[in-house]
Amino acid sequence: MPSLLFYLFALITLGFGLMVVLARNPVTSALSLAMSFVGLAALFISLDAFFIGTIQILVYAGAVMVLFLFIIMLLDIKAESDRKTNVAAIVGAIVLGSVLAVQIATVSAAHHQSDLTLNEAALNLVAAGNQMAATDKDLPTISKDLKAGILPDTKLMGLALFKQYGFHLQVMGLLLMVGTVGVVVLSKRDKEVAR
Amino acid sequence: MTPPAQDTTASLPTLLLMLPFLTALSILLGHKLLKGASVVLSIASAAICFVISLMLLDARDSAPMLLPFIEIGKFRIGLDAMIDQQSRGMMFIVTSIGLLVHLFSLGYMKEDEGKVRFFGSLSLFMFSMTGIVLAGNLFMMFIFWELVGLSSYLLIGHWFEKPSAAEACKKAFLTNRIGDFGFMIGILMLFMANHGDVSFSGLKGGFAEGPLHEMTQTHTLFMTLAALGIFMGAVGKSAQFPLHVWLPDAMEGPTPVSALIHAATMVAAGVFMLVRCSFVIEASPDAATIIAWIGGLTALMAALMATQQNDIKRVLAYSTLSQLGYMVMAVGLLAIQVSVNHHEAGPGHPAMFHLYTHAFFKAMLFLGSGAIIYACHHEQDIWKMGGLMKHMPVTFVTFAIGTASLMGVPFITSGFWSKESILGVGFEACRPLFWIGVATAMLTAFYMTRMFVITFLGKPRTESAHHAIEAPIIMVLPLVVLAALTVLSTFESFNRLLAAMIPNHAEDHPTVMIASIAALIIGSSVGFLLYRGKNSDPLNIKLFANKFYFDEIYAVIVKVLQDQLAWIVNGLERMFVDGIVARLPAFIAMRIGSAARILTGGHLQAYTFLLGAGVLMVIYLVVFVLPQLGH
Amino acid sequence: MSPLEIVILLPLLAALAIWLGAPARATSVGAAVVNLVITLGLVFSFKAASAGKAGFAFESARIVLDNPAITFGVGADGVALILTLLTALVTFAAVWQIGDDKPAIYHIASLLIAAGALGAFLSTDVFFLYAFHELALIPTFLMIGLYGHGEPEHRKAVAWKTTIYLGAGSLILLAGLVWLVLEFSGGGKLTFDLQALRAQAALTPLPIEKQAQIFFVLLLGFGTLVSLFPLHSWAAPAYATAPTPVAMLHSGVLKKFGLYGLLRIALPLLPQGAQVAWVQEALLFMLLGNILVMGLVTINQKRLDDVLANSSVMHMGYIFLGLAAGTEIALRGAVLLMFAHGISIALLFALAGRMRNQLGTLEFSKLGGLGEHAPAFTVLFAFGAFASIGLPGLANFAGELMVFVGSFMNYGSTSFGPLQWAVIVSLWGVVMSAVYMLRAYRSLFHGSAMSGLFMRDPSFSQRLPLILLAAVLLIVGCCPWLLLNLIKSDLAAVVAP
Amino acid sequence: MSVFSIEVGLAILGLFLLALEAFMPAITRRTLAAISMGGVALAFLLFLLVNKSATQMPEFLQAYQQLDTLAIFYKGFSLLITFLVLWLTSQCAGYLSKYTVDGRLSEMFSLPLIVCAGMMWMAGAKDLVTVFVSLELVTVSFYVLVAFARKSALALEAGVKYLILGALSTGILVYGIAWVYGATGSLTFEGIAKALANPETVKLPVLLGAALLLAGLGFKVAAAPFQMWVPDVYQGAPIPVTTFLSVGSKAAGFVILTRVIDTFFIQGSLIASEVHGLLLIGGALTVLLGSLPAIFQTSVKRLLAYSSISHAGYLLLALSAHGSTRLDLSAGGVVAFYLATYLPMTVLGFLVLAILRINGGGEDVTDFRGLAKRSPLLAFVMTVALASLAGLPLTAGFMGKLFVFLGLVDQTAWGALAAAVVGAAAGFYYYFKTILAMYTSDSSSSSQPIPLNLWTKAGAVALAISIVVLGVYPRPLQSMLMESPATASAAAH
Amino acid sequence: MITLSHYLVVSGILFALGLAGVVARRNIIIIYMCLEMMLSAANLTLVAFSRFHVLAGLPDYSAQALVFFTITVAAAEVAVGLAIIVALYRSKQSVEVESVTKLQG
């Protein structure tokens, strides 16, 4: 993954991220958020997290952005009239953002692995494959791919999710259930308008 | 909790002490039930006490413990008596004059509706006075010192509806209290120096060979202050120079009160106590000189004031003040004699002897004036009397005897002998004071003859004086008895019989005799010539009439030093102490609180900003600040 | 179930019964009488009960918490018993004195305050000693806020000031007590039990400097509750505006909790604490402030209740003087003075309350010549007034005398230390107290009666408790050894004999 | 039959109730309330009886759930508070239905069950993933509950504010977890603790992670810099939800905070002193920002919100006394003790407020005027609650404060102690304002008596008695919390 | 070459950008978008750390599981959030921040 591509995608992510904040028209900011997520997905893929990258595009760029656009259209929210821009808020925001960024930058520089490149943190797939084959027999496909030197990211992700974090998945189910019920309760049209 | 066992010799003094107290208590509690009987009860108790004091006259010296007061381990403050010649003599005076005054006031207070309360207070006074006389240690002395102050407060303020009486009793109590302030300091200093033993025997032992002995050499200032502290108690009680202002005002009380308290007994308590602790005063010569000089000055000043008084009781009050000055001077002079000139003290004490004689004729004079006032329908101004010689012969005769004795008519009156003994001591110890004494004697003669002439001689000046008739028998009888006692007390044998502490008459220097007789003649003749047949006072010396303006000076001092200072301090306290300790923190808390309230101002944007800022602060604090602090 | 627990719980149960509807006056007076009888019984049987052992008599303990070992332990030694007797007497007088027209909350509040005081005096555990005292905070607050004298705004302001001031004071006290307990439990288990702490203090006394620091914090905490000079500004307005029973109970009884606390906790556990130079000077400065400044402030007052309230603040100076001296005699004098001041100030406030009911005002300028028509009332007021200015023969004198004498115990030395100078200055305070009390007495009872304003004597039944208090003043005044023999030698003799 | 089965049972009951509403619209509110309260009561009973040894958990959960004393206590605590909230909701049902869509309240009875399950999982969490998941379940449910009575403008506004700030704090929490994971290489508490113990872990990233994590959790428990949302949301939300937030959500927040602090204070941990400093400063600031502004409050509901902030401050100060071994209770134990005393007084305060609201009164202090006349029992009970909130002795509130003071003095944190004293002193003012109002009766206050049905009366008296008993005889509570110190702070020591 | 700190810095900047957006904008929907942006920035950090923390030759998938859960939670949050925003719009006809200032003091 040549470094050029990394900088391209980083630029896309941050550029469109800035567009989201600065855009007057909510639709433009929604779409620029989608593009920013796409850039982000690319970064995920550069980190060999293919499953998360695709999920990012499917769920975030797809479902969440569509939801936002749908709501913006439904409520027909006009572009923000710039008569009363809250200068104090903007100045505050800039200060907050820059100070936070500086803090995070200084700390990330101090991280013990900060100067480790992707190649140095190489994955040793074959060894993992043999080790996997040795430990649990009933997952031949994963160990076969590993031995073949390709990273079955989605399969490993499935393994982690359903084997290690099965309980949490159920709780996520419960959470989504509550989310939907919440949506129904909160947005059902009432006979007369709320006082 | 049974009080400690009592030995038998204590039964008499205990009865003597407790009887009047129980009478006063029963009158207080049961005055509705007893109604008239309480008066009889109080007179009976006075009579019994008189009999007991007679029995005590020939009892041997003893120091029984009467009642426990405070007992903690070996630390003990108790009401323990000390019976010796001085207390026996004084006891006789107190109970005899007390009984006579009781009888006199039976008549004088007949139609007063507060009569029951009057006799209750009288019994309370008898209790406190007996306590002082019998006191065996300084604490007991202090306790009864204040109780006497209380009873004088009650008696002076008997007619409390009169604003003047209300003010007078308050003034008396407060002045006494100021005296007690000094007295307590003196006691505490002696307590500290003598390792906690302030009984008279213990103090005498301390001064003889105990801790106080070398103290007198090494810490003279400490001992002087202690002596002056004790003296201040006497100044408050016997109305000496700085604190004398309350005695003239005390005349607001009924006359029997003036007779008993402000002539014979209470004011004499100060002198009695000084004589009791004479060894303390002898221990520091300069205290003795100060005491002597204050006594002298008081005597002179009071005499000067007396010359211009028109109220019969005020004249007598100032004469008492003057005579007390004499006695205190005598105490001082004798102390100088002993400590400076190292004369060893004789058996008696001139001050006690003068106190002894003065008690009788001054009480008689006061009762006489009471009879006159009663006869002239409560008229007290001598210029409204006159020519009472014919109307009230018995009172005239007794009054004459009293006046003579007070003036000190040579050889035939007791007053002369006692005054003589004082002037004798004065002559040797301190010459200037001797001449002041003589001058006072002259003035005494002058104002007594002035009063005598105006009241008794000449023609009656007003209607009431014209119709004055002799007072009823119940009031005249005590006069006669007292006159008899005055005459008897000139004779040596009678006095020795009544343990009157007569000093031996070392042959005084002849000039003493001559000077006093000359003073007498000059004073009385000038007085007689000046006032015979006059209807108004020829002399008009504002300074003396207004009592050297002491009352006004003290009023200013009180107003400035106390009331205005109190007002300022009150303001300061409210502003600063209350302000800083209470209102300031409350103000700061309110200020911070209202500032903090802006944080929750309702704007969502402000909240997100604050939350973000909060996060940054936490990061900055935790990541960058605290590690450096090595917290 | 030791009799002391009954004494504490009785008023609480009575208050609850009244709240549930029982006849207010009957229940409260009944409870007060029973309490008084039990206390008197305890006083008389105290000699026998405490003959053997050194510590507390009539003990019982119930464990309430393990690690900081807190037990609801009750026990009484001489000092506690004297103060319990004081509480029982004043409660009886306060409750009896409440008029029939007053709502039931008067009785409930008085009983709660009494229970708080009794609990504080009788518990042998620092936690409950502190906790019971706070029981009285809300009743006092409500009574001053709702039924105090003066117009509503003033009442509420005074109620607020008193509550927050006392609250803050007790919090500082809590911090001090917690520090004390932590210091003493060393490595081992935390315990709030007094006897264990005292044993620990005897075993391993703390370093002098730390003793001084803890003592100073406790002094500030307890001082606020007792109106020590700089921390006193809540006291006078509170007592002046509080309704009579609350004023009687608070100034007569509850105020003594602070001093009792110092006596029971601070002195035995931190013996040298008070004698360290800077603490001694601070304490002397404060108590002289009490005596001189408050003395002058009292002289400046124009109303009777203000005079009484400020004088009760001033008299605390003498008791603190006893504590500052720390000698055996001075401490016992302080205890006696607590008892005497409690009785006399309660009597005076009761009379002032009665006077306010009948005449409507307590201004000196508006009153005068009451003596003529109300002789009994005058005599009772005389008893209270003369007791409070330390007249021998009445209870306060013996206490004051012992406090003064106790401070002059450094035998043989002829130089005056700071303590001795403080005593001499406070002697002048005695004169000042005579000035303001006699001025009050003169302007109220002597002189000519004002137009129409004259008092009738209270009926005998109304006078009964007041006569009781006056009689107690006289009896204790004449024979102080009655109470002093109760205090055995266990009262920590801190300094010289 | 393990504790986990109880939790799952509750969640399922919640879902069942949701479904029940959908399929049987005619079902009355009363039966719904009865089912849900019955379910929680049954769960609580079973919880008390069930064998609570750690081994008894299902095997797949061993890695993510632990059953030490703290977990058991907080699970019981969650069940109790849920039951009380449901009871409170059933009390206010009539009044609340005016503000909800078509007057239906079914979600108000079913969502709390799910929230209770979530809180129980939070209590036992052993790693950050479980923490995050169960925390989010609870938070999202609260988003719905807060904005539930959306016909009242205030509730909606509170919902929006809670939503935005909640989401922001979740973002910070996740970022914190990321950095903690990044610096220590593990997501489980033991893993993190091990990493913190060995010296060559780089300190700076861990500090950043810890700061962000504590900031995220700080929001949840209303700690100082993140407490500005509390007054608005507590005032806007319906009373039962506010009670749930103020007690349940705070307790859950504190159980996680205790776990996290135990991990950070592991023996020889790199960042112990920094976190200790943060806790002290944060705690003192929270107490001050919680009590000083409360002086000006006129609405009692908003007042109780500020009191919940100030109590959060005291809890933080209790946590900071981590090193002291003087008390049998570890710092977490003291926090649990404090929360146990905090529960009855706050619920009682909100109950009285709710009853007043039902009878047409407002939430202002002036609406409390004359309550003593209208219903002496309510006034007395409210006085006990307020006295306990103020920390008067012989009430539960004082015991909690006593432990906090003991901890502070033991570690000689004089600044924090001063803040605690000032906070408590201010407390005397704003808590007693209501007491004074209740007992002043003047013309302006309505004077018809307040009808109380038997259950309400019994509930109120029971809570008041529990306050006094905990204040006077806290021994059983302490012994319960200190049962097996070994497990309680296994991670810590 | 691309190192871990590159990824951390990018996600840091994105996070800071999100925070700035939340504070700066007045339209609640935009604020909500920025919140999602912050969440995904956090995800990026998590994925970066999991990739560089090699566990037995493979990236640490437990962190990636957490990322998955974060995304799910974000989705649920967006759903509920938008529902509330719709309800707000219906009652206040505006999604401006100024419309929610009645609760204060």
Side-chain angles (χ1 to χ4, degrees), chain B residues 162-376:
Chain B
K162 278 198 328 206
S164 58
E167 283 307 322
C169 64
K170 176 160 74 75
K171 184 184 215 178
F173 190 87
L174 290 181
T175 331
N176 279 340
R177 193 31 95 82
I178 294 172
D180 296 352
F181 162 71
F183 192 24
M184 178 50 102
I185 292 180
I187 295 175
L188 287 176
M189 289 169 84
L190 287 178
F191 176 83
M192 184 165 80
N194 198 26
H195 298 289
D197 178 2
V198 277
S199 64
F200 293 118
S201 47
L203 280 172
K204 202 168 282 178
F207 275 101
E209 74 290 329
L212 292 172
H213 186 61
E214 79 279 350
M215 197 87 76
T216 46
Q217 273 73 28
T218 52
H219 301 270
T220 48
L221 178 63
F222 181 86
M223 290 320 291
T224 315
L225 287 177
L228 285 180
I230 301 285
F231 173 61
M232 220 176 133
V235 164
K237 197 60 69 185
S238 304
Q240 289 308 299
F241 160 63
L243 302 175
H244 65 287
V245 284
W246 65 274
L247 190 54
D249 294 355
M251 293 309 125
E252 286 297 322
T255 319
V257 169
S258 320
L260 177 63
I261 293 181
H262 302 124
T265 48
M266 185 182 117
V267 285
V271 176
F272 175 82
M273 184 268 288
L274 284 178
V275 172
R276 238 326 172 227
C277 337
S278 50
F279 45 81
V280 174
I281 301 165
E282 277 142 21
S284 70
D286 28 23
T289 33
I290 292 168
I291 291 172
W293 272 99
I294 286 190
L297 280 178
T298 316
L300 182 65
M301 193 184 64
L304 288 171
M305 290 186 207
T307 55
Q308 283 297 299
Q309 296 306 324
N310 298 330
D311 176 336
I312 188 167
K313 286 176 69 175
R314 287 268 176 323
V315 174
L316 291 176
Y318 281 108
S319 91
T320 312
L321 250 181
S322 166
Q323 298 308 318
L324 286 168
Y326 255 100
M327 298 176 206
V328 167
M329 185 172 73
V331 167
L333 291 172
L334 197 71
I336 297 169
Q337 277 291 71
V338 168
S339 59
V340 174
N341 313 353
H342 305 299
H343 282 257
E344 143 280 314
H349 194 294
M352 272 314 284
F353 181 40
H354 190 57
L355 182 149
Y356 188 79
T357 56
H358 172 269
F360 288 122
F361 55 74
K362 187 48 69 61
M364 196 258 289
L365 283 172
F366 262 104
L367 289 186
S369 66
I372 292 167
I373 291 165
Y374 184 79
C376 304

Side-chain angles (χ1 to χ4, degrees), chain C residues 64-85:
Chain C
V64 155
L65 195 63
D66 289 331
N67 178 270
I70 298 177
T71 54
F72 176 59
V74 282
D77 70 343
V79 178
L81 215 52
I82 289 176
L83 293 174
T84 315
L85 181 63

